[in-house]
Amino acid sequence: MSESSVSAMPTAAAKRGGVFYLYKNLWEQSHGRQGELLGAVLLLLTAQCVLLSVPYFAGRAINVLQASGSAGIGEAGIWLSLVIGATALSWVFHGPGRLLERNVALEIRRRISFGLFDRLLSLPLSWHEANHSGVTAHRVQQSSSALSSFTQSQFIYLSSAVRLVGPIVALWLLEPYVGMSAIVGFVIICVSVVGFDRAMIRLAHRENDAERRYSAALLDALGNITSVFALRQSRAITDLLQRRLEAIFAPLRRSIVLNEAKWCTVDVCSKVLSCSLVALFAWLAVRHVDATVGQKTLMLGSLYMVWEYASQAGGVISTFASNFQNFARQHADFASADPIRDANVKAADATTPELLQASSPDSEYYMVRDLVFSHPGGRDERPTLNGVSLSLQQGRRYALIGGSGSGKSTLLRVLAGLYEADRVAVDRRNGPAIVTPSAAAQMLRSNVTLVPQDAEVLEGSLAENLALCATHAGAPAEGQYSEAMNTACVSDFISADANGLSTAVVERGANWSGGQRARIALARGILAAADSNLVLFDEPTAALDSRTEARVYDNIFAALPNSCIVSSIHRLHLLDRFDEVIVMHEGRVVAQGPAALLAATSPDFRQLLAMYRKEDSAQPASQSAAA
Ligand SMILES: Nc1ncnc2c1ncn2[C@@H]1O[C@H](COP(=O)(O)OP(=O)(O)OP(=O)(O)O)[C@@H](O)[C@H]1O
């Protein structure tokens, strides 16, 4: 995938309303736990409201001491014990509130991770081919962590809100002019913070894009480490990684400058505001003449209250600035999975359920007519499959042959329902014809099993790898493993018992030879195909020597006697094991029938056969017999 197309993806997210977007998703994702979420909010709000009384109690203690001296020690002690009491009481609400909030956050992370994974599984194969797996994995992780961390940051946002409103109300009660001045000051500073952070959100989106491309390159390098070593790619890969890292740093550097400018503005303005509020209060207080004693009074406790509330007000500005920055980051990170959420999946045809029912496993043949398919973003103007027609019968074996790039793998993927055709009609004996591509894809997907070309194995034990599949009815029983291992000739190199099944498979099956890995993957494919009436194999034995290859085919045909089997093959010495041959050329089926008939009637078949014989005779004898 080109670098430009990767970076162009997640911009739709930036258009969505930030705060509402996150809160809407938080609310939706916490369904079933919304009571807990509201309970957490209530408890955390109560804790912050209780804490608001602390400066008042402390100020009253100072005022009593100022007015009554040592005679007021008892009363001051009561006020001070209220300070401790209020702090302790706030924890009675804050602690349980945080527990609730963080538990909901964990649940939200679980839901988003699995929700996105489910969504990924529902997207067509072509979507996955067009999107780098490293990029997609990064999106899932970043988005699920972001909303989870947003959820468990609620107490910070709530405390900021209370500490924003509380001191203003307190200052207003102490002196309305001071309260009014605080509001004006807050508004000015908040507007400048929002301005800075808007610019920083845009940079965060660019930074996330660049970071995903860097992760993708790193994953490619580490995932293909044999080629990196063997082809001396280290230098080129390092250069690529450096370029991609530099692409992260470009928006990051601008963001760092903006961040410092923002903090400078916030710091200076909040200090100016705090000092101005104290000065304003003092000035207003000394202007007030006490009529009874005839002198200007300035109660130190009240001054302390103003200082404390003003400091809180100043502190809140810093907190607001930092919260907004976190919030901006969380918004950008959560939105990074929007290309997955927004991926355009064609809605299934309304008649699908009926068609699926009609296509019960006892359908006895498929007649595929006029199949047209183009790879999205394919290089060629012509469709990859152009008017393909073929007929397949239950219990028969078909060899799919053709030159490289003729469309064999693509055809098998369409027949497995993994790619949706642009146009197709499928006739079956036991049901109405299906003429809608989406319905055809769904029907095929629920009746057909494709054993893919690449032997994709996962890290774990052999048993875990075999368990990573399902028939249309569900997971295969463990008792079937040894039979599948025998069929795929896995038991040639590992015993089909508990001991053998516990053998380790490392990442990408690097502790097995290519042929052994292919047979493990084939055993898993055979397990998955147990109840499919159409089973497709995409060159499953290309990595095997010709004798083992022939044994594997004999075993497969014996293990699946009632299924229709279509297998693409390159080595044509296998042809006599198949009932019919399907010949492909440039995206078309140019011939179908028994090999003997085609040898007499099809020039394309004869040409392929001649090419094969020439290649085969050119090979050293040892090669075809090698294990
Ligand atoms: N994901 C894809 N995106 C775009 N074009 C593709 C994609 N996969 C295959 N193609 C193109 O479709 C054509 C048919 O490819 P396909 O893999 O089906 O051929 P094949 O007959 O299986 O070849 P081979 O025998 O070499 O495996 C080729 O021109 C190929 O470049």
Side-chain angles (χ1 to χ4, degrees):
M1 192 178 185
S2 75
E3 299 205 359
S4 57
S5 61
V6 176
S7 63
M9 281 199 296
T11 46
K15 295 179 198 151
R16 297 181 182 171
V19 70
F20 298 110
Y21 177 58
L22 277 182
Y23 275 110
K24 179 175 165 287
N25 277 286
L26 169 56
W27 187 249
E28 284 170 5
Q29 292 296 332
S30 60
H31 64 88
R33 306 286 294 264
Q34 286 159 341
E36 281 173 62
L37 190 65
L38 289 176
V41 169
L42 212 65
L43 286 166
L44 293 168
L45 265 179
T46 311
Q48 291 305 318
C49 290
V50 170
L51 276 180
L52 273 178
S53 62
V54 167
Y56 175 77
F57 293 145
R60 289 299 299 267
I62 295 169
N63 277 352
V64 168
L65 288 174
Q66 186 190 5
S68 316
S70 56
I73 284 178
E75 193 187 340
I78 295 172
W79 287 115
L80 288 178
S81 55
L82 283 174
V83 169
I84 297 166
T87 307
L89 184 63
S90 76
W91 272 98
V92 170
F93 298 107
H94 181 85
R98 280 289 280 159
L99 291 181
L100 277 180
E101 182 194 58
R102 299 197 74 173
N103 279 329
V104 175
L106 290 180
E107 176 60 17
I108 283 183
R109 183 165 184 181
R110 192 184 68 77
R111 286 180 184 180
I112 295 192
S113 298
F114 286 102
L116 285 173
F117 190 62
D118 273 355
R119 171 83 181 141
L120 285 171
L121 294 184
S122 75
L123 293 175
L125 186 60
S126 50
W127 187 92
H128 290 274
E129 287 174 351
N131 290 275
H132 194 290
S133 54
V135 169
T136 303
H138 193 271
R139 289 184 192 284
V140 171
Q141 278 174 5
Q142 203 171 40
S143 188
S144 53
S145 306
L147 198 64
S148 172
S149 103
F150 176 68
T151 309
Q152 61 185 4
S153 305
Q154 287 312 302
F155 90 97
I156 304 175
Y157 301 145
L158 286 172
S159 82
S160 301
V162 171
R163 286 200 288 141
L164 184 74
V165 176
I168 293 176
V169 173
L171 288 171
W172 193 289
L173 291 175
L174 285 165
E175 175 54 65
Y177 285 123
V178 175
M180 264 188 282
S181 308
I183 292 173
V184 173
F186 278 138
V187 170
I188 292 171
I189 297 173
C190 289
V191 167
S192 63
V193 167
V194 169
F196 277 115
D197 281 314
R198 278 226 172 111
M200 283 167 69
I201 286 183
R202 283 194 293 274
L203 290 171
H205 280 293
R206 279 181 51 199
E207 192 190 316
N208 281 347
D209 286 347
E211 199 149 335
R212 276 190 285 276
R213 290 159 60 202
Y214 173 76
S215 303
L218 197 60
L219 195 77
D220 277 345
L222 297 176
N224 298 295
I225 199 73
T226 314
S227 300
V228 172
F229 288 154
L231 303 178
R232 294 172 290 284
Q233 294 172 334
S234 325
R235 186 57 194 266
I237 292 278
T238 309
D239 287 350
L240 175 70
L241 286 174
Q242 265 173 5
R243 280 201 304 279
R244 294 210 172 172
L245 202 60
E246 198 47 48
I248 303 175
F249 289 169
L252 199 55
R253 283 199 189 97
R254 288 194 58 195
S255 192
I256 290 168
V257 173
L258 271 180
N259 193 41
E260 288 313 306
K262 180 184 89 174
W263 281 108
C264 172
T265 309
V266 167
D267 200 28
V268 171
C269 291
S270 66
K271 286 290 180 301
V272 168
L273 183 62
S274 297
C275 293
S276 308
L277 293 177
V278 174
L280 180 65
F281 180 80
W283 179 69
L284 289 170
V286 293
R287 265 187 24 169
H288 174 71
V289 177
D290 187 324
T292 40
V293 288
Q295 64 181 29
K296 296 167 182 175
T297 53
L298 182 58
M299 293 302 290
L300 287 180
S302 303
L303 197 62
Y304 169 77
M305 288 181 209
V306 174
W307 169 250
E308 197 51 35
Y309 287 126
S311 301
Q312 277 191 17
V316 129
I317 294 171
S318 303
T319 316
F320 170 76
S322 123
N323 287 349
F324 200 81
Q325 189 172 330
N326 291 342
F327 167 78
R329 188 81 228 182
Q330 286 160 352
H331 176 261
D333 288 357
F334 179 69
S336 66
D338 282 352
I340 300 175
R341 300 184 183 99
D342 297 345
N344 192 13
V345 186
K346 287 181 202 164
D349 189 82
T351 55
T352 298
E354 193 194 333
L355 291 167
L356 282 175
Q357 262 181 6
S359 70
S360 59
D362 62 346
S363 296
E364 286 186 7
Y365 73 70
Y366 294 101
M367 174 86 192
V368 177
R369 283 184 284 121
D370 200 18
L371 164 58
V372 177
F373 172 79
S374 302
H375 280 289
R379 294 173 299 278
D380 210 336
E381 296 248 305
R382 280 177 311 170
T384 313
L385 301 176
N386 198 357
V388 166
S389 294
L390 67 155
S391 108
L392 304 171
Q393 284 213 351
Q394 198 100 31
R396 285 179 77 77
R397 289 83 176 78
Y398 299 84
L400 181 62
I401 65 169
S404 182
S406 57
K408 300 181 295 296
S409 297
T410 307
L411 174 62
L412 291 175
R413 288 173 180 209
V414 175
L415 288 178
L418 302 182
Y419 291 151
E420 189 177 304
D422 304 328
R423 192 176 73 214
V424 70
V426 183
D427 298 331
R428 293 156 301 146
R429 181 170 295 169
N430 296 332
I434 301 173
V435 290
T436 324
S438 60
Q442 286 218 17
M443 183 279 288
L444 291 166
R445 218 169 159 167
S446 45
N447 286 282
V448 180
T449 297
L450 168 67
V451 181
Q453 194 169 19
D454 298 324
E456 291 166 346
V457 290
L458 287 92
E459 188 185 7
S461 68
L462 182 56
E464 281 169 331
N465 267 277
L466 294 179
L468 277 170
C469 71
T471 63
H472 297 298
E478 251 187 88
Q480 296 169 294
Y481 291 180
S482 61
E483 206 182 314
M485 285 167 75
N486 290 335
T487 305
C489 293
V490 174
S491 27
D492 286 5
F493 56 91
I494 197 146
S495 59
D497 55 17
N499 205 18
L501 284 167
S502 65
T503 315
V505 178
V506 305
E507 188 187 357
R508 291 168 184 255
N511 56 335
W512 303 95
S513 75
Q516 290 171 333
R517 208 162 42 234
R519 280 179 274 176
I520 292 172
L522 184 58
R524 188 178 54 198
I526 290 164
L527 284 169
D531 63 352
S532 295
N533 56 355
L534 176 54
V535 186
L536 313 171
F537 293 94
D538 195 354
E539 292 190 52
T541 53
L544 304 186
D545 63 276
S546 38
R547 266 191 310 228
T548 312
E549 180 175 44
R551 274 174 53 222
V552 166
Y553 271 104
D554 290 341
N555 291 348
I556 291 175
F557 293 161
L560 302 168
N562 300 317
S563 308
C564 169
I565 294 176
V566 181
S567 181
S568 66
I569 55 169
H570 261 143
R571 282 181 269 182
L572 304 190
H573 69 93
L574 294 165
L575 283 183
D576 58 359
R577 288 179 158 75
F578 289 84
D579 300 310
E580 284 188 38
V581 183
I582 299 166
V583 185
M584 290 202 74
H585 181 67
E586 294 185 353
R588 291 173 183 275
V589 169
V590 289
Q592 180 180 353
L597 179 69
L598 295 191
T601 57
S602 166
D604 291 290
F605 178 70
R606 280 199 298 273
Q607 197 181 359
L608 285 169
L609 211 53
M611 265 170 57
Y612 169 71
R613 285 186 181 137
K614 204 167 138 196
E615 282 169 17
D616 197 44
S617 60
Q619 270 183 13
S622 58
Q623 199 166 320
S624 50

